[in-house]
Amino acid sequence: MLDKAKAETFARAWMSAWNDRDIDRILAHYSDGVVFHSPRIALVMGNGAVSVSGKAALRDYWTRALERSPELFFELENVLTGSDAITLLYTNHREELVAETFLFDADGEVRESVAAYR
């Protein structure tokens, strides 16, 4: 069960890793079998994919995404807490509002994540 304090700790660590552009710290939050969904995948990867599976594929996707966006920066707006999931609301460097939901496994790692953009 996630509580507000755990959710906020995760949010701060996750945001810090992204804003530092530290791919290893970012990926440390995810399980090896993670599945990530985002409408940005197709654009970055140059295919029609809407998700990537596994930490290695996620590393490849995010490495490419970071290379394409040297100005990337996230600003946390809110943290919403569920039973085994949290949703972060944040603004990105394009001034887009993003809602990203993270589902956690029993070990406390992200097993699935879904990003949605305004």
Side-chain angles (χ1 to χ4, degrees):
M1 179 68 115
L2 291 169
D3 62 24
K4 191 71 170 172
K6 287 180 184 175
E8 289 179 358
T9 297
F10 171 86
R12 283 191 303 274
W14 188 86
M15 286 280 165
S16 175
W18 271 105
N19 289 337
D20 289 345
R21 304 174 63 81
D22 188 330
I23 193 73
D24 291 323
R25 280 182 35 224
I26 297 165
L27 288 167
H29 298 284
Y30 297 84
S31 70
D32 288 338
V34 65
V35 178
F36 177 67
H37 307 263
S38 172
R40 300 268 192 242
I41 295 169
L43 176 67
V44 172
M45 301 306 285
N47 60 29
V50 296
S51 67
V52 294
S53 298
K55 200 182 271 192
L58 194 54
R59 175 184 293 276
D60 182 43
Y61 165 62
W62 280 339
T63 298
R64 291 181 193 205
L66 285 169
E67 288 170 357
R68 291 172 59 120
S69 297
E71 70 285 358
L72 183 135
F73 189 84
F74 298 154
E75 184 173 334
L76 185 63
E77 303 293 336
N78 210 334
V79 179
L80 309 175
T81 308
S83 59
D84 64 345
I86 64 171
T87 298
L88 302 184
L89 300 176
Y90 59 93
T91 304
N92 66 20
H93 57 290
R94 294 181 199 94
E95 298 184 18
E96 296 171 309
L97 182 63
V98 183
E100 190 158 345
T101 299
F102 304 85
L103 291 113
F104 293 86
D105 64 17
D107 295 327
E109 294 181 320
V110 176
R111 65 177 168 82
E112 191 163 4
S113 179
V114 179
Y117 300 80
R118 178 178 60 180

